[in-house]
Each structure stands twice: as C-alpha cells, then as structure tokens.
C-alpha cells in the first residue's frame, strides 16, 4: 500500500532529511505504518529519533542544521505537540535555522467514512480553530496537506521556504484520513525546488561602499552571526587583513572571526558601557547582526557612516527596529564580502594609513588578551573565568561547543578562545533550554567531533535533562555538559538592577531567582541516561573532573559537571 504517509517520508528523504525527530501521537498511524513498511521493503526513509520532549526534538534538529546547513524534520502530535515545541520555535525563527515541522491534525470524519476516522475521545478535544496559527508568527511557511496526491510538491515547497534566506521553519499539518489516502507514486525533480539564490549588493551601492571603505581612517566591522557560513569567515578575514579593520562582535552566535586574530577586539552583550572602538569609528560596516549595539548605552558617533548588510535588513518580524544607515543592502554576507574583496583589488589604498592602523589595532588586541589571561587566576572560589580557562585545555580543533552560558556567554567566548570557524554555536534566540538537544543534533551530524555544552544552572533545567540524557544514551550521542552553577537565575537580577540600581530589589536578599535547595543536576543525568555525573565545589577539583568527563565522553558516555560558582 502506497499512501500519502509513504510519499511524505520519501519526499523528506529526497530533500536531504536523514533524521525525523519525533514525538508520536494518535495522528501518526499512516506515517508509523509507512516507516515499518519501508524498513521491510528496503525503502530509503529518514531514521526515526524518538524524543520524549518536543522542545528537545526541535533543538536537536536545530543543532544538526546549524553545523551542516541541511534542514531536518520534526514530527509532533496535533496542536498539543505544536505548543510543546515551546521556545524552540522562537530560537529557530530568530536564529534563522532551516527545519520542517509536521504535525498531524484531528480527523475530519467521525463515522468511519474514511480510513483514519475518529476513534479516540481526544480527537474531539484536540480539534481547534487555527492549529497553524499557533506558530504562524515564527514560521516562514505554513500549509495543510489536503490530499495525498501533491504531498511531495508541498514538502518540496516547504523545504524551499525553510532553506531560502532568511531561513527558518516551515510547518505542515495533515489529518489522519489524508495521510492514509492511497495514491500513485510520483517521481519529481527536486532541483526544481532549490532555495532562492543568495542576493548581492547592487553595483551602484557597492561603488559607494568601496569609496567610503578606502577613505575611512577608523573603520570597524560589527557582526553577530556571519560565521554561520564558514566561507563568509574566510572572506571577512581577507577584507580586514587587507585594510586593517578591527572586528567587534555584538551578541555573537557563531565564530565570526578567530578570537586569536589580531584584528579581533572582542564582543559585547548587555554591558552598560560605550565601546571605545565603536565610538571613534568614522565608518561602521554592519554585517549579519540583529542588534549591533544598544543605542541607550553604546552607539557610533553621529558623524559615522553606517553601512548595513543582512538577508533581512528590515527585520520584518521585529515591530520596533531601526539602525540609521547611509545604505542598507539585502544581501548574503559571503556573497557581499566576495564582491567587496574583488572590487578592492583595483582600488588605490593609502598603505601608510593602513600600516599605522594595523599597529594600533594589534596593540589593542594584545592588551585585551593580557587582561583576559590575568583574570583567569585560581581563587578561593571557582570563577567562571577560571573554569572556562580550564576547559580550554581540553578542547581542540575537533571540538564543537554549544554555548548557552547566558550571563556567562561573553566569559565563555573570551576565555575559551575558539579560533576554528564552526567551533562554537549558540541558539541565536532568546528561549533557554537549547543546549542539550542541540548537542545531540550536533553529535548526530558530526559523530567524529567532541561536543561540549556549556550552560547555566537555570538553562540546564530548561533543557529537560531527563529527556536529553535518555536520548543521548539511546542514540549514542555522548557529550560533555558543564553547568555554571551560581545558585539561581543571575540574568533577571542583573536586568532589575540595570533599571533600579538603588531600589528595594537591590537591597533584597532574594528577589525570587535563587535556587536555595538546588536539584542534583549531575544525578538527574545519571539517572536518566547513565551519564557520568560529577559535582565540583573546589578550584583544585576542576581539572581532574574535566579529565574524567572528557575521557568518559570519548569512550561513549555522557558526562555532566555541576560546577559550583560563587552564589548570587
């Protein structure tokens, strides 16, 4: 029997989907039956990954796509499973990561008119007015499969949307009767549904940008996620090395430039201070950044010429957003940088000015590096700087780090010092709990890599560790998870103090963010997935615990280090 469910699975595989991260329900009999039939028939279909929690499923698909660029698929149960995707939908949208989400829908017949008619009470209470509307604000495309005869075309179209800039999620639904429909097999050319080709800077805009770049005395590049395409990093290096342009990262979610590169001058998150390099710039080239600076506390001078390059320069999903710019271009970062580098080959440059600028920037880079190393000394309590410096001794070019350090995002970037493009990723969004599922997806995509997840204690709980570590053991995706445990949610406290520095909350012992009786984080992972669980309280224990953890992971077992930092 060849059904719409069979065609759906075939279409996924033809689009490059190798893993179907699934939380099955009463709406999926056709897909389950087709998967089992496919195994017997030797049909090429995606491998099912059972996910006890939907947010973990979507985070795993996100992690896989982030390191490969290849969208995977997530299968959830009607509107309940759609809602259980939780903040992972936000992360996919804001991080511009391609994925296809399929949810069943309640059957639309109830008296046995068609195979798949309602036969369970939940199929009445799970029938809602606008299931697709639950996620419409976060998806690139949504549709309902109404017949099995064009399932493949709809899957190809959904994947085309998901993989075209700005990338994101596509959401499809299909009722049981539709997915059970027997249909003729359709063979189509998937190349007719390729993602839209990357955009480039128009010639007249490129002329203006090149002229201003060549004449600038204090140019600077600001980026956040240019490094999602490692080829763009190569092109960025060509540009900044040729003209001696410093690079600042604002809320980075990828390795946009090796942190040991002499043109790298650091990253900024929510620190309430003006960046001196940004303030003195006469030209700012912003490439791939949603929030290049926070205007209330940190911005370029009013005289600076600002150029903005992004696949979504209008930020169409952000109601309040504007960066006053001389020019803004809808363009792919790698494509745009190649254009800039090619055009610069024929431009006369003031080499004396470039050499002087290079000397100043390299000196600033050295001073920054010296200050970072000085902050890594061992103290009476474990500091996040010391912990990260110790982790640095265990990572190499074969390591991928999933960074969800929240209030320690910048510490992890600064002190881990990842210099390999693709060697560190973050969710790109603002919903916590990504790192555990993402680590599973990364390991599935890159089984030869050592995967490390670094997170706060609050974000560790958001990962749903009972599901994460059960999955990691079952699917043999071991990773090291390091918990920066400061006994609560530090970020909400910092947010409150930033608005009310001398208010009542500043004098309160607990504003509702402390975990006074913390869970046994290491024990949860051990119980759920047989992970090596270690709790570390003294600086003297850190290196030995890390050695045990990395040894365990390289032998095929997850490891969780619950590291006690100075409490809130």
């Amino acid at each position: 029997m060849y059904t719409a469910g069979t065609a759906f699975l075939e279409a996924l595989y033809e689009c490059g989907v190798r893993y179907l991260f699934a939380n099955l329900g009463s709406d999926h009999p056709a897909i389950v039956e087709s998967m089992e039939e496919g195994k017997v028939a030797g049909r090429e279909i995606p491998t099912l990954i059972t996910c006890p929690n939907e947010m973990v499923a979507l985070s795993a698909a996100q992690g896989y796509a982030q390191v490969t660029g290849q969208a995977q698929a997530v299968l959830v149960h009607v509107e309940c499973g759609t809602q259980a995707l939780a903040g992972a939908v936000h992360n996919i949208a804001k991080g511009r990561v391609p994925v296809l989400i399929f949810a069943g829908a309640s059957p639309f017949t109830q008296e046995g008119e068609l195979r798949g008619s309602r036969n369970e009470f939940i199929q009445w209470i799970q029938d809602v007015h606008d299931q697709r509307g639950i996620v419409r604000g976060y998806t690139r495309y949504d549709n309902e499969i109404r017949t099995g005869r064009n399932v493949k075309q709809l899957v190809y179209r959904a994947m085309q949307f998901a993989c075209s800039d700005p990338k994101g999620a596509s959401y499809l639904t299909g009722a049981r009767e539709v997915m059970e429909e027997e249909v003729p097999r359709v063979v189509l050319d998937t190349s007719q549904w390729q993602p839209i080709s990357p955009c480039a800077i128009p010639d007249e805009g490129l002329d203006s940008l090149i002229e201003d770049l060549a004449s600038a005395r204090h140019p600077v590049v600001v980026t956040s996620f240019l490094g999602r395409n490692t080829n763009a990093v190569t092109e960025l290096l060509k540009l900044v090395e040729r003209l001696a342009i410093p690079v600042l990262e604002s809320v980075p979610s990828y390795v946009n430039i090796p942190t040991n590169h002499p043109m790298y001058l650091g990253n900024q998150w929510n620190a309430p201070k003006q960046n001196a390099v940004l303030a003195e710039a006469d030209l700012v080239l912003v490439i791939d950044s949603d929030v290049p600076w926070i205007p209330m506390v940190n911005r370029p001078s009013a005289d600076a010429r600002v150029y903005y390059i992004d696949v979504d320069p209008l930020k169409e999903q952000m109601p309040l957003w504007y960066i006053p710019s001389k020019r803004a271009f809808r363009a792919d970062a790698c494509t745009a940088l190649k254009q800039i580098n090619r055009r610069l080959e024929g431009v006369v440059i003031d080499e004396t000015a470039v050499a002087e600028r290079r000397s100043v920037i390299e000196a600033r880079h050295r001073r920054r590096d010296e200050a970072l190393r000085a902050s890594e000394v061992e103290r009476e309590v474990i500091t996040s700087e010391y912990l990260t410096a110790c982790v640095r001794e265990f990572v190499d070019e074969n390591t991928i780090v999933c960074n969800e350090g929240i209030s320690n995002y910048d510490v992890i970037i600064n002190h881990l010092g990842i210099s390999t493009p693709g060697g560190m990723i973050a969710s790109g969004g603002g919903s916590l709990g990504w790192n555990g599922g993402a680590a599973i997806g990364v390991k599935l995509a890159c089984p030869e890599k050592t995967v490390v997840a670094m997170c706060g204690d609050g974000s560790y709980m958001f990962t749903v560790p009972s599901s994460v570590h059960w999955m990691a053991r079952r699917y043999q995706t071991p990773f090291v998870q390091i918990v920066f445990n400061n006994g609560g949610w530090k970020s909400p406290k910092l947010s409150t103090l930033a608005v009310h520095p001398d208010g009542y909350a500043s004098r309160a012992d607990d504003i509702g963010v402390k975990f006074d009786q913390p869970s046994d984080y290491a024990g949860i992972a051990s119980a759920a997935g047989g992970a090596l669980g270690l709790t570390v309280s003294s600086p003297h224990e850190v290196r030995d615990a890390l050695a045990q953890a990395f040894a365990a992971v390289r032998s095929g077992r997850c490891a969780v280090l619950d590291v006690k930092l100075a409490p809130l």
Side-chain angles (χ1 to χ4, degrees):
M1 201 166 58
Y2 189 94
T3 67
T6 310
F8 173 75
L9 292 172
E10 273 191 357
L12 290 180
Y13 195 88
E14 290 161 0
C15 287
V17 173
R18 295 298 175 263
Y19 292 102
L20 182 58
F21 298 93
N23 191 292
L24 296 169
S26 60
D27 43 335
H28 301 137
I31 292 175
V32 173
E33 180 66 14
S34 292
M35 291 199 80
E36 295 307 311
E37 183 272 339
K39 293 175 186 178
V40 174
R43 208 187 298 275
E44 291 184 322
I45 56 176
T47 297
L48 184 77
I49 303 293
T50 300
C51 304
N53 179 272
E54 290 88 346
M55 179 163 176
V56 178
L58 187 49
S59 297
Q62 178 176 353
Y64 190 105
Q66 283 182 277
V67 296
T68 64
Q70 175 61 58
Q72 299 300 290
V74 173
L75 182 71
V76 296
H77 175 49
V78 295
E79 106 288 8
C80 295
T82 301
Q83 293 182 87
L85 291 168
V89 174
H90 160 98
N91 291 338
I92 286 284
K94 302 307 177 184
R96 297 180 179 84
V97 180
V99 68
L100 187 144
I101 303 168
F102 176 84
S106 284
F108 50 79
T109 59
Q110 68 174 34
E111 297 183 18
E113 299 94 329
L114 296 168
R115 182 188 291 118
S117 285
R118 296 185 183 186
N119 62 352
E120 301 178 35
F121 79 92
I122 56 170
Q123 291 156 355
W124 278 267
I125 61 178
Q126 290 173 342
D127 188 4
V128 298
H129 288 295
D130 188 10
Q131 179 174 316
R132 288 151 57 193
I134 297 169
V135 294
R136 188 169 294 124
Y138 299 90
T139 57
R140 294 278 286 116
Y141 170 82
D142 70 86
N143 201 355
E144 176 188 358
I145 299 171
R146 295 182 175 90
T147 173
R149 293 178 178 270
N150 66 347
V151 164
K152 287 195 172 183
Q153 292 92 325
L154 293 186
V155 170
Y156 297 164
R157 177 167 166 77
M159 290 292 279
Q160 184 179 38
F161 265 98
C163 298
S164 297
D165 285 323
K167 299 178 177 69
S170 286
Y171 180 79
L172 292 175
T173 66
R176 290 207 311 186
E177 297 95 328
V178 172
M179 301 311 289
E180 292 283 358
E181 180 187 359
E182 292 187 50
V183 296
R185 188 168 188 265
V186 175
V187 178
L188 298 170
D189 181 4
T190 57
S191 66
Q192 296 177 359
W193 279 271
Q194 290 296 309
I196 302 305
S197 298
C199 295
I201 303 173
D203 284 341
E204 53 86 18
L206 184 59
D207 291 339
S208 173
L209 173 55
I210 293 297
E211 181 180 347
D212 283 348
L213 271 174
S215 63
R217 307 300 293 181
H218 301 288
V220 63
V221 169
V222 179
T223 185
S224 299
F225 46 84
L226 172 152
R228 62 183 174 163
N229 180 351
T230 56
N231 293 326
V233 179
T234 302
E235 294 298 326
L236 176 65
L237 290 176
K238 289 180 185 177
L239 172 62
V240 301
E241 288 170 358
R242 174 68 184 90
L243 297 183
I245 304 176
V247 177
L248 298 174
E249 293 181 305
S250 177
V251 196
S253 49
Y254 294 88
V255 177
N256 302 298
I257 180 173
T259 56
N260 60 0
H261 195 278
M263 291 297 106
Y264 179 61
L265 292 186
N267 58 90
Q268 188 145 337
W269 297 73
N270 294 326
K273 62 182 180 182
Q274 175 67 54
N275 186 289
V277 177
L278 186 63
E280 68 188 31
D282 60 355
L283 183 141
V284 184
L285 177 56
V286 181
I287 311 175
D288 278 1
S289 180
D290 290 335
V291 187
W293 48 78
I294 298 176
M296 193 169 77
V297 296
N298 178 39
R299 64 196 312 165
S301 71
D303 298 329
R305 292 161 290 176
V306 177
Y307 284 83
Y308 192 84
I309 300 172
D310 195 282
V311 294
D312 178 23
L314 291 175
K315 308 301 174 191
E316 295 174 12
Q317 285 193 321
M318 299 182 189
L320 175 61
W321 189 94
Y322 49 86
I323 296 294
S325 308
K326 180 176 179 178
R327 295 295 300 269
F329 304 114
R330 185 184 297 274
D332 166 70
C334 188
T335 302
L337 285 165
K338 285 180 179 179
Q339 288 181 278
I340 294 168
N341 287 327
R342 281 196 297 265
R343 187 66 65 87
L344 279 172
E345 291 174 2
V347 175
V348 177
I349 304 295
D350 185 343
E351 299 296 348
T352 301
V354 170
E356 291 174 353
R357 186 162 62 235
R358 190 185 312 278
S359 178
V360 171
I361 297 165
E362 289 178 350
R364 277 181 159 170
H365 174 85
R366 286 194 299 271
R367 290 195 297 272
R368 176 180 178 273
D369 190 64
E370 290 166 0
L372 290 175
R373 301 293 85 80
S375 67
E376 295 173 354
V377 297
E378 183 176 327
R379 305 182 189 278
E380 292 184 2
V381 297
I382 303 173
T383 66
S384 53
E385 293 82 0
Y386 174 75
L387 171 59
T388 307
C390 291
V391 176
R392 186 174 67 229
E393 300 172 14
F394 293 86
V395 302
D396 54 27
E397 293 184 353
N398 200 45
T399 303
I400 298 178
V401 175
C402 299
N403 181 358
E404 198 170 24
I406 315 304
S407 57
N408 285 308
Y409 269 129
D410 56 343
V411 173
I412 292 170
I413 293 169
N414 289 337
H415 296 273
L416 210 53
I418 299 292
S419 59
T420 305
M424 178 183 290
I425 60 174
S427 75
S431 187
L432 305 188
W434 159 87
N435 74 94
I440 291 172
V442 170
K443 189 66 177 178
L444 281 171
C446 307
E448 76 285 359
K449 298 286 188 179
T450 300
V451 181
V452 181
M454 303 176 76
C455 61
D457 46 335
S459 53
Y460 175 80
M461 288 193 285
F462 277 124
T463 65
V464 197
S466 57
S467 288
V468 163
H469 287 283
W470 178 86
M471 289 173 60
R473 177 165 61 178
R474 175 165 180 176
Y475 296 106
Q476 299 177 5
T477 56
F479 63 97
V480 178
Q481 193 167 28
I482 301 169
V483 181
F484 287 62
N485 187 349
N486 57 17
W489 285 314
K490 185 177 180 181
S491 292
K493 182 174 182 178
L494 294 175
S495 298
T496 302
L497 295 178
V499 179
H500 301 284
D502 302 311
Y504 290 99
S506 69
R507 299 186 292 274
D509 178 60
D510 183 12
I511 59 171
V513 296
K514 283 187 177 180
F515 304 151
D516 283 331
Q517 294 181 334
S519 299
D520 180 358
Y521 303 133
I524 292 171
S526 297
L532 171 66
L534 300 173
T535 299
V536 183
S537 303
S538 167
H540 306 304
E541 302 170 339
V542 172
R543 283 187 173 85
D544 180 63
L546 284 167
Q548 293 183 58
F550 277 83
V553 166
R554 285 165 179 152
S555 68
R557 182 186 182 193
C558 268
V560 173
L561 266 62
D562 177 10
V563 184
K564 307 290 186 179
L565 307 179
L568 289 175

